[in-house]
Amino acid sequence: MTVAQLPNAGLQRQHKLHAKSTQSLEAEVFRINAALVQRCKAQQMHLQSHGMQTSRANRTPFGVRRQAHQRKKSLQSCCSAAGHTDEARKPKIVGLGSVGLDYLAQVAAFPKPDEKLRTKQMETRGGGNCANALTAAARLGLEPHLVSKVGADSIGEEIEQELLSDGVQTNFLLKATDHPSPFTYIIVDKQGGTRTCIHTPGASYAPEDLDQDTIDRILSNAQLAYFDGRLTESAVVLARAARKRGIPVLVEAERLRPTLEVLLQEADYVCTSAHFPQQWTGEASLGDALHTTLQRLPNVKWMVTTLGKKGSVLLERCPDQAGQTEAVVNELLSTMLEEVHSSSSSNNGNGSSYPLGAGEVTSSEKAVKLLLQRGPEDSPAATAAAAQAASAEASANADPSNAASYGTQNGESTVVDGALVAKMTVASAASLPQEAIEDTTGAGDAFIGTVLYAVTQGMPRDKMLKLAAVVAACKCTALGARPGLPYAQDISPELLNA
């Protein structure tokens, strides 16, 4: 195993930058109202594989110097200012899933039951997994088209205008006259680095909204179709249509959802949260869960799982005859995680500066026959654990009577015994000091948006994971899911290009 290190990775400063105090860094950088867009391109970063050295007088608390550069423009001119040039040449992708408005309350620490406290900062931002990921992809240079539904209200108008300002096309964003727009209350715990979401859904995008003409227009010239795991009945219809047209399908598996398993069977690529594989399979260990998840999805070419501060892991399916060496999947995963974290710590451990490192990547290089740690005798326990997780998720979603659809269909076993031949790639998270982290809301969406970009560019897997980690880290430096997302012109060509 070798560690693939990309030198001089990072973000290029393209404007004259000047120092800002810690207080100014907490100032508002992105605001949208019904008619005008105010954008503060507050974040310009220069990353190096070993961090950044700056004089104390000219650096912020995390080695990032900012320029407060606000303009008030119409939507059209704002899109132009954001670098949206010659849309016809940009790869078209489509995404079906959630969109909404986020009400973010940042607090010093998460409140205890029946406790009163004041917010440190309160913001209203655009949200929704699909919309956030498409925004990240648009800023990197794609032409995303959102397929979803909002209410025919002022919130719906605000949601649409923010998307348009970032180059996300809304031709297929429907507006329901009998439902309000979806929204989410988010408590951002500054001390703990967590966020807690309470979601109120709006009108559902139904399969009846996808007539043949609409499907044809949505998929025309699309290079990739993305589904965030919501609106699964409609997603299955569009995913199957995409596959018939030879359009690759990427499915996000963040948590157990009704009929998500049916949608996953249509995927070419899958992105999961850290906890989904174990919830879905009932496996006791993460390595076994990754192994079993990929085995249960025979059409999937590769699957990437985000691990928060630990980074990410990607399994790429290989022909059975390619695996010449064997390894227990849990042992290999642990070894590779230790390797990237050791390299990342040694390369970014500079106490005299505030570096933002691009992270490290290690790979098995060749296909490996991956073996489960558990034995066949433990299969019934895994199946029972998966059923329990499905029931708990259905109850948490106020849908207890539909628990069966949250897990394995038809009551089948969740486990698949035997070896899996695959390559494993592990990447660390981009190094970011704790004091630089404002909000982790949407970090996973930023990661997935980068994956969408990487797939359309034919980017190597290791480089894709490194770029996605950088974009996700940038997002975390601002409150809300989108303000911290970088633009393509802010990222060095060495990191951005395939």
Side-chain angles (χ1 to χ4, degrees):
M1 289 179 283
T2 60
V3 175
Q5 182 175 343
L6 185 64
N8 301 318
L11 304 181
Q12 295 177 322
R13 294 187 297 272
Q14 297 209 351
H15 305 288
K16 181 179 179 182
L17 306 178
H18 57 278
K20 291 291 173 184
S21 65
T22 302
Q23 289 78 14
S24 67
L25 290 178
E26 296 174 353
E28 193 169 41
V29 296
F30 191 88
R31 180 180 296 277
I32 291 180
N33 57 43
L36 298 174
V37 175
Q38 287 183 326
R39 171 169 294 134
C40 175
K41 289 192 63 179
Q43 181 172 318
Q44 302 289 342
M45 293 186 177
H46 177 69
L47 303 181
Q48 296 179 345
S49 60
H50 300 290
M52 171 185 285
Q53 290 278 3
T54 63
S55 66
R56 182 167 296 276
N58 289 326
R59 71 173 181 244
T60 69
F62 51 100
V64 179
R65 295 186 285 178
R66 299 195 175 195
Q67 175 185 15
H69 187 59
Q70 277 185 307
R71 297 187 183 99
K72 214 174 196 181
K73 292 180 175 286
S74 66
L75 285 174
Q76 183 177 7
S77 61
C78 186
C79 290
S80 176
H84 303 292
T85 59
D86 198 359
E87 297 289 346
R89 296 183 181 179
K90 295 183 177 182
K92 174 185 173 180
I93 63 172
V94 298
L96 188 154
S98 62
V99 62
L101 202 65
D102 291 346
Y103 298 97
L104 300 111
Q106 188 183 66
V107 296
F110 193 83
K112 298 176 182 178
D114 209 28
E115 182 182 25
K116 294 182 179 180
L117 73 168
R118 291 188 177 185
T119 59
K120 295 186 65 177
Q121 192 174 354
M122 179 72 189
E123 300 288 351
T124 303
R125 310 288 190 190
N129 288 34
C130 187
N132 295 338
L134 294 185
T135 298
R139 292 192 184 188
L140 293 176
L142 302 187
E143 182 193 301
H145 292 247
L146 175 65
V147 184
S148 193
K149 186 180 290 188
V150 296
D153 50 25
S154 59
I155 292 178
E157 289 295 327
E158 185 173 351
I159 289 170
E160 182 176 21
Q161 288 186 11
E162 181 174 355
L163 292 168
L164 289 171
S165 74
D166 265 313
V168 178
Q169 304 304 307
T170 60
N171 309 57
F172 309 108
L173 180 65
L174 302 183
K175 295 183 179 179
T177 58
D178 54 347
H179 285 81
S181 293
F183 59 91
T184 303
Y185 293 114
I186 302 177
I187 301 174
V188 180
D189 178 0
K190 177 69 173 176
Q191 184 180 71
T194 64
R195 87 286 186 273
T196 303
C197 303
I198 305 172
H199 180 64
T200 300
S204 178
Y205 193 99
E208 294 75 28
D209 295 319
L210 286 169
D211 58 59
Q212 191 58 52
D213 178 67
T214 300
I215 291 174
D216 291 341
R217 288 187 292 113
I218 290 172
L219 297 178
S220 177
N221 298 318
Q223 295 188 21
L224 182 65
Y226 158 59
F227 304 91
D228 72 359
R230 294 165 174 79
L231 307 171
T232 47
E233 291 185 358
S234 299
V236 168
V237 173
L238 191 60
R240 287 173 175 169
R243 288 187 66 85
K244 287 181 180 179
R245 291 163 171 78
I247 299 170
V249 172
L250 187 148
V251 175
E252 174 187 357
E254 179 189 34
R255 53 187 286 195
L256 300 179
R257 299 186 187 279
T259 66
L260 176 57
E261 180 172 0
V262 179
L263 178 60
L264 286 168
Q265 298 298 332
E266 303 299 329
D268 296 286
Y269 314 108
V270 171
C271 292
T272 85
S273 63
H275 57 265
F276 176 83
Q278 286 176 272
Q279 283 188 321
W280 194 46
T281 65
E283 298 284 7
S285 66
L286 176 60
D288 283 357
L290 297 175
H291 180 292
T292 302
T293 298
L294 190 57
Q295 277 197 315
R296 286 174 58 185
L297 302 174
N299 293 325
V300 171
K301 297 178 176 65
W302 52 254
M303 177 182 74
V304 60
T305 297
T306 57
L307 304 175
K309 295 179 180 179
K310 293 182 179 180
S312 60
V313 55
L314 184 145
L315 285 181
E316 183 173 5
R317 176 177 272 110
C318 300
D320 289 345
Q321 63 271 21
Q324 298 180 354
T325 60
E326 293 184 352
V328 176
V329 62
N330 276 320
E331 295 176 0
L332 181 60
L333 177 59
S334 296
T335 299
M336 294 175 71
L337 282 170
E338 183 178 350
E339 182 177 350
V340 295
H341 292 147
S342 176
S343 298
S344 179
S345 297
S346 62
N347 287 336
N348 293 296
N350 188 336
S352 62
S353 66
Y354 295 86
L356 197 161
E360 304 294 334
V361 180
T362 186
S363 173
S364 62
E365 294 187 335
K366 296 180 180 179
V368 178
K369 184 178 290 185
L370 298 175
L371 308 176
L372 291 168
Q373 178 172 284
R374 64 153 178 83
E377 66 277 7
D378 296 321
S379 295
T383 299
Q388 184 177 6
S391 178
E393 192 67 36
S395 296
N397 209 32
D399 192 22
S401 62
N402 197 28
S405 69
Y406 283 73
T408 302
Q409 303 297 301
N410 303 320
E412 297 176 358
S413 172
T414 64
V415 297
V416 182
D417 294 318
L420 169 70
V421 179
K423 293 180 182 178
M424 181 182 289
T425 303
V426 173
S428 68
S431 62
L432 189 65
Q434 185 64 37
E435 62 266 30
I437 300 174
E438 288 293 323
D439 177 20
T440 60
T441 302
D445 304 333
F447 189 100
I448 291 174
T450 310
V451 170
L452 299 176
Y453 169 81
V455 170
T456 64
Q457 303 303 303
M459 187 174 287
R461 312 287 181 257
D462 56 346
K463 195 169 183 180
M464 174 182 76
L465 295 182
K466 180 168 284 192
L467 176 61
V470 168
V471 173
C474 291
K475 186 247 80 68
C476 292
T477 64
L479 187 62
R482 303 177 194 171
L485 293 171
Y487 293 87
Q489 62 263 34
D490 300 327
I491 301 177
S492 69
E494 190 172 14
L495 185 62
L496 185 67
N497 297 334

